[in-house]
């Protein structure tokens, strides 16, 4: 289990700022700033921990899309909004759809993560894989998706694209998610916040307290009454 908190950055976080909602269906959930949450992504024993979390008193849970069955997601939704995690920016060799990636879809490996490589966010095949994952999230009953590793331009993924390619990739997934009545979050990628805050419903941040000034960059989310879910390891 990861220790996690909902980050509130402004005293006016409860006052929503108007933003364009052209991508959003009326069925897309919102996540208010200050919402309580937890995240459980571990395999093995972590799956049973997810089941134990059904009765726990918090509003939002972030779980692994591939490791959590639809029945468990349904049980969680009795009193929680369920965010379903997957890596949108990397190929994880152990995933059931890893064989769908083609030559040219992958770049450099992720430091510290064996059997995981960055993906080409401009690849039509990669985008089709993500469409199938978003469909899986919808079919499984998820409330929202948490697509990770969308900041390959910072981590030098080997493709040499600038930030705009990754902004376009997030917007593509936001539109696809909305078409399935799913919300979507921005994972890390703080440099993208001004470009995508209008098309995502929340943010997930890892360790902004470790880096001077990073937490404050999420103020556009809380100003818009959108949750920032913080993880500190």
């Amino acid at each position: 289990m990861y220790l996690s908190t909902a980050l509130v950055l402004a005293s006016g976080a409860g006052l929503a700022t108007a933003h364009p909602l052209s991508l959003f269906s009326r069925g897309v959930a919102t996540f208010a700033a200050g919402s309580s949450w937890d995240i459980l992504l571990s395999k093995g024993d972590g799956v049973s921990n997810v089941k134990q979390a059904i009765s726990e008193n918090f509003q939002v849970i972030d779980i692994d899309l591939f490791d959590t069955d639809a029945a468990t997601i349904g049980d969680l939704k009795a009193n929680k909004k369920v965010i379903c995690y997957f890596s949108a920016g990397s190929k994880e060799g152990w995933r059931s759809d890893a064989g769908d990636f083609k030559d040219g879809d992958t770049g450099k490996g992720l430091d510290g993560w064996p059997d995981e490589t960055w993906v080409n966010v401009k690849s039509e095949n990669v985008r089709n894989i993500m469409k199938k994952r978003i469909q899986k999230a919808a079919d499984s009953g998820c409330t929202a998706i948490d697509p990770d590793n969308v900041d390959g331009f910072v981590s030098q993924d080997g493709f040499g694209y600038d930030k705009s390619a990754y902004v376009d990739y997030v917007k593509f997934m936001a539109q696809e998610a909305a078409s399935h009545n799913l919300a979507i979050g921005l994972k890390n990628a703080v440099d993208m916040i001004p470009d995508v805050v209008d098309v995502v419903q929340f943010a997930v941040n890892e360790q902004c307290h470790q880096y001077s000034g990073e937490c404050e960059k999420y103020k556009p989310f809380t100003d818009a009454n959108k949750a920032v879910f913080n993880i500190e390891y």
Side-chain angles (χ1 to χ4, degrees):
M1 180 180 292
Y2 294 9
L3 180 63
S4 46
T5 58
L7 190 65
V8 179
L9 302 177
S11 59
L15 301 176
T17 301
H19 286 290
L21 297 176
S22 58
L23 286 178
F24 305 153
S25 159
R26 289 184 179 180
V28 173
T30 58
F31 294 76
S35 299
S36 58
W37 87 305
D38 204 352
I39 180 167
L40 287 162
L41 300 181
S42 300
K43 298 178 72 173
D45 291 342
V47 177
S48 62
N49 288 337
V50 169
K51 291 182 181 295
Q52 292 173 18
I54 291 169
S55 61
E56 293 183 11
N57 187 27
F58 50 85
Q59 297 167 306
V60 179
I61 188 166
D62 195 334
I63 49 91
D64 191 281
L65 173 63
F66 289 90
D67 293 343
T68 314
D69 59 46
T72 301
I73 291 171
D75 289 341
L76 288 165
K77 283 183 73 177
N79 61 1
K80 294 173 178 54
K81 294 176 181 177
V82 180
I83 301 172
C84 292
Y85 168 95
F86 62 87
S87 181
S90 69
K91 172 189 173 182
E92 300 163 307
W94 61 92
R95 297 299 190 184
S96 57
D97 60 358
D100 293 344
F101 291 92
K102 299 178 180 179
D103 291 344
D105 285 342
T106 56
K108 294 182 178 180
L110 273 70
D111 290 343
W113 297 96
D115 202 19
E116 187 168 2
T117 51
W118 293 99
V119 300
N120 184 349
V121 297
K122 291 186 177 182
S123 163
E124 191 65 27
N125 185 57
V126 168
R127 292 188 176 210
N128 285 334
I129 292 170
M130 298 310 147
K131 285 182 180 181
K132 291 177 183 177
R133 291 183 175 186
I134 293 169
Q135 180 70 62
K136 177 178 174 64
D139 292 343
S140 296
C142 306
T143 311
I145 57 170
D146 172 17
D148 198 4
N149 298 312
V150 294
D151 55 355
F153 64 99
V154 173
S155 303
Q156 300 179 344
D157 56 15
F159 295 102
Y161 303 145
D162 63 22
K163 182 183 70 170
S164 64
Y166 302 83
V167 169
D168 181 72
Y169 189 51
V170 170
K171 288 183 175 180
F172 146 73
M173 287 188 288
Q175 187 165 15
E176 191 67 22
S179 73
H180 292 286
N181 292 330
L182 292 169
I184 182 173
L186 176 68
K187 183 69 166 286
N188 297 320
V190 293
D191 293 338
M192 269 200 247
I193 290 173
D195 302 294
V196 302
V197 66
D198 290 345
V199 299
V200 301
Q201 287 72 53
F202 59 92
V204 179
N205 169 270
E206 294 174 297
Q207 294 184 244
C208 71
H209 293 282
Q210 183 177 342
Y211 304 102
S212 177
E214 183 169 299
C215 292
E216 286 76 10
K217 292 182 179 180
Y218 285 92
K219 193 172 183 295
F221 277 93
T222 55
D223 280 351
N225 195 27
K226 295 182 179 183
V228 180
F229 298 121
N230 171 238
I231 308 164
E232 296 295 321
Y233 300 111

